[in-house]
Amino acid sequence: MKKGYRRETIYSNNQIGKDIFELKILVNSLEDSYEDMGKPGQFYMLRGWEAKDPFLSRPISIASQSGNIITFLYEIRGKGTHIISKLNPGDTLELLGPLGNGFDLDIQGKIALISGGIGIAPMIYMAKELEGDIDFYCGFRNEVYYTDVIREDVDNLFISTENGSLGHKGFITELFQPKKYDMVFTCGPIPMMKKVWEMCKGIVPVYASMENRMACGVGACLGCVIETSRGMERVCKDGPVFSCEEVVFHD
Ligand SMILES: Cc1cc2nc3c(=O)[nH]c(=O)nc-3n(C[C@H](O)[C@H](O)[C@H](O)COP(=O)(O)OP(=O)(O)OC[C@H]3O[C@@H](n4cnc5c(N)ncnc54)[C@H](O)[C@@H]3O)c2cc1C
Ligand code: FES
């Protein structure tokens, strides 16, 4: 087992969309407290294979945590997530975490959570843990998932699909009005987060969870750096949550 990793057991691994899975891991180390298992915005490096190919573990955000079960939502993108999707309840996988800095939950006022695609994962946990008045904006390409779960935790839920199969036809940013909010949190494709920031700049602060490709996940390899107003910063160690004020979004 790689240094710092622990082996835990899969409680369930259910397909909830075409390439979307909900993975629940039973954390056996009973001394883990809520704080130890991670807060919204933090992530784990997952490794569901013994072999050296793929070489790197894969970063996945915590989508929720209850008792000693951590829930992840993931989309099959390539080899790593494909292997994880084939694992069954009772199988084990290696995980390292929680890693990175989460979102600040000590927020007052009206809050908007804006997700694009599988960027919904950390926002689900945010919606559960935040106190107060929350509007959740979820943008999907075609297929909508997990919105019934979110509905219980928010005041208003807005849905968009690019093909118009459910909710607003188009992009989720077309429904969003920055002036209504005291704070905005977002996770999803870079063009969406950039658009959110362009709309909010000078009106309301925005915090974004960046999803760069990662290698070590612990700040040692500089494989995940992004450009910020303070220079190059590591998404895994200095983030993944950054104020959009600091992030340099490229076209
Ligand atoms: C902090 C963090 C949290 C994340 N949380 C989640 C999550 O909760 N759920 C989830 O499904 N995914 C999440 N991701 C993205 C996830 O890590 C990648 O999709 C995964 O590593 C792809 O591995 P793979 O082996 O399946 O695909 P690979 O074979 O590694 O890649 C397949 C394709 O996906 C692209 N890709 C790989 N990684 C990323 C990435 N980070 N961003 C954009 N494109 C990428 C590659 O360029 C390639 O085109 C997160 C990433 C980070 C950094
Ligand atoms: S992945 Fe190695 S420094 Fe971030």
Side-chain angles (χ1 to χ4, degrees):
M1 200 180 300
K2 293 176 83 171
K3 194 166 173 252
Y5 278 73
R6 52 188 180 180
R7 185 169 283 282
E8 304 287 4
T9 306
I10 293 176
Y11 179 77
S12 62
N13 191 19
N14 295 323
Q15 187 164 9
I16 59 165
K18 186 172 161 285
D19 289 319
I20 310 290
F21 285 72
E22 181 199 61
L23 171 69
K24 288 183 184 284
I25 306 277
L26 196 57
V27 177
N28 293 312
S29 346
L30 287 175
E31 71 271 17
D32 274 338
S33 69
Y34 163 77
E35 287 293 326
D36 293 334
M37 286 166 73
K39 60 178 195 166
Q42 288 192 291
F43 67 95
Y44 281 78
M45 298 296 283
L46 301 189
R47 192 173 183 83
W49 50 91
E50 302 285 345
K52 290 225 163 84
D53 179 26
F55 185 62
L56 303 170
S57 306
R58 300 300 195 242
I60 303 289
S61 305
I62 306 167
S64 72
Q65 178 267 329
S66 175
N68 60 346
I69 290 184
I70 306 178
T71 302
F72 299 97
L73 273 196
Y74 64 93
E75 179 172 16
I76 299 180
R77 287 260 175 84
K79 196 165 184 180
T81 45
H82 177 75
I83 295 172
I84 293 171
S85 76
K86 298 294 171 201
L87 298 174
N88 294 307
D91 290 345
T92 59
L93 54 64
E94 289 173 25
L95 62 162
L96 176 70
L99 301 170
N101 300 311
F103 289 102
D104 183 0
L105 298 176
D106 193 15
I107 308 287
Q108 307 293 324
K110 195 162 171 62
I111 298 158
L113 305 180
I114 308 178
S115 68
I118 198 66
I120 198 171
M123 299 285 110
I124 294 166
Y125 197 13
M126 274 300 268
K128 275 211 177 316
E129 297 297 316
L130 278 171
E131 303 282 331
D133 204 356
I134 303 165
D135 288 353
F136 202 136
Y137 295 79
C138 317
F140 298 93
R141 196 161 288 152
N142 312 311
E143 195 183 20
V144 174
Y145 45 87
Y146 235 74
T147 48
D148 288 346
V149 180
I150 294 164
R151 210 178 288 278
E152 295 165 14
D153 297 312
V154 301
D155 292 282
N156 295 295
L157 178 64
F158 301 92
I159 297 170
S160 74
T161 47
E162 288 175 32
N163 67 357
S165 58
L166 193 78
H168 169 73
K169 183 172 190 228
F171 295 127
I172 196 65
T173 43
E174 290 158 8
L175 296 177
F176 169 62
Q177 295 170 290
K179 282 196 179 122
K180 286 166 63 181
Y181 299 101
D182 298 299
M183 186 68 81
V184 175
F185 298 100
T186 184
C187 185
I190 295 285
M192 185 207 78
M193 296 199 287
K194 182 170 181 263
K195 176 73 183 172
V196 169
W197 176 231
E198 283 166 0
M199 292 172 76
C200 293
K201 210 170 177 176
I203 302 172
V204 52
V206 183
Y207 286 83
S209 182
M210 309 301 287
E211 294 202 344
N212 281 40
R213 298 210 72 175
M214 285 188 181
C216 71
V218 294
C221 72
L222 304 184
C224 64
V225 290
I226 57 163
E227 193 178 346
T228 75
S229 54
R230 292 189 299 267
M232 302 307 279
E233 299 224 319
R234 299 159 301 179
V235 170
C236 65
K237 191 80 177 174
D238 307 311
V241 175
F242 291 89
S243 162
C244 286
E245 202 71 66
E246 304 160 359
V247 174
V248 178
F249 287 104
H250 292 283
D251 290 321

